[in-house]
Amino acid sequence: MLCDDCGKNPATIKFTQIVNDKKTVLHLCRKCAEKRGLKEAISNISFSLGDLFAGMTKKEPEKVEGKGVEILCPGCGHSFAEFEKTGKLGCGVCYETFSSQLKDLLRRIHGSNQHVGKSPPQLSLKMELKREVRKLRDNLRKAIESEEFERAAELRDMIKDLSKSS
Ligand SMILES: [Zn+2]
Ligand SMILES: [Zn+2]
């Protein structure tokens, strides 16, 4: 699908405007959309879509004051709304076009695709070491109590090594 304005570039944005109950749908390339002053609406849309998928907002991004902007895949002309409806992507380019929306969607489905909230690896390593030393000390005490001095010496060395590296 070519841009309604210039007729040269492939349309990547579907712009819906409702004036006096009359619906106008324009298919525009990004350049022409920006020329029409839709730049802000375009940068807002992925944000609103992300919010929508995160379930954080109830407002419909397509119906802001009777205006709507949808990103269309340059490969097949599908919008992300169509994918939501059918669950099918139109072509391989869709993945690229809707990557941020798809990521949001996946994050929503799989929880989080990032490790958040865990202590940094170095910190947990230290804690691991401390726990290990505590365990060895326990074993050492038991070894001395049961007069296993060879084992005790071994354990003492291990504790020394571990304490050094922690
Ligand atoms: Zn154009
Ligand atoms: Zn496509």
Side-chain angles (χ1 to χ4, degrees):
M1 196 185 304
L2 289 175
C3 169
D4 285 339
D5 267 14
C6 62
K8 273 189 291 189
N9 301 324
T12 54
I13 287 145
K14 185 175 157 192
F15 175 59
T16 317
Q17 189 170 26
I18 299 160
V19 183
N20 300 328
D21 286 335
K22 216 182 132 224
K23 192 173 162 188
T24 323
V25 180
L26 285 168
H27 295 91
L28 301 170
C29 70
R30 187 167 274 261
K31 238 195 228 157
C32 293
E34 282 181 12
K35 239 187 263 168
R36 280 175 176 263
L38 297 174
K39 201 174 179 177
E40 211 177 309
I42 296 163
S43 52
N44 277 344
I45 185 141
S46 52
F47 178 69
S48 332
L49 270 173
D51 274 0
L52 186 72
F53 283 120
M56 281 157 69
T57 176
K58 282 172 199 92
K59 72 173 175 207
E60 290 176 62
E62 287 91 350
K63 282 173 192 163
V64 187
E65 293 167 350
K67 279 184 193 171
V69 176
E70 279 176 71
I71 308 293
L72 298 178
C73 169
C76 61
H78 273 207
S79 69
F80 194 71
E82 277 170 79
F83 163 68
E84 280 182 273
K85 252 182 261 161
T86 61
K88 275 183 212 151
L89 290 171
C91 71
V93 187
C94 289
Y95 286 102
E96 247 172 75
T97 314
F98 308 122
S99 62
S100 64
Q101 285 99 318
L102 286 169
K103 252 184 245 157
D104 279 339
L105 191 66
L106 286 175
R107 204 175 297 146
R108 176 104 193 280
I109 294 166
H110 299 296
S112 174
N113 58 6
Q114 280 168 332
H115 295 285
V116 222
K118 271 198 169 178
S119 46
Q122 242 181 336
L123 195 69
S124 62
L125 186 71
K126 255 188 185 169
M127 277 162 63
E128 200 71 36
L129 272 173
K130 261 192 191 156
R131 203 179 308 144
E132 192 63 25
V133 169
R134 214 176 301 143
K135 209 167 72 188
L136 286 173
R137 282 218 179 101
D138 223 39
N139 287 346
L140 173 64
R141 190 175 43 82
K142 274 182 209 150
I144 293 169
E145 271 169 17
S146 51
E147 299 185 352
E148 293 175 67
F149 296 117
E150 233 172 273
R151 172 104 181 107
E154 238 172 67
L155 286 164
R156 203 190 47 215
D157 286 346
M158 278 163 84
I159 292 166
K160 224 194 277 168
D161 281 354
L162 278 176
S163 304
K164 244 188 279 166
S165 53
S166 66

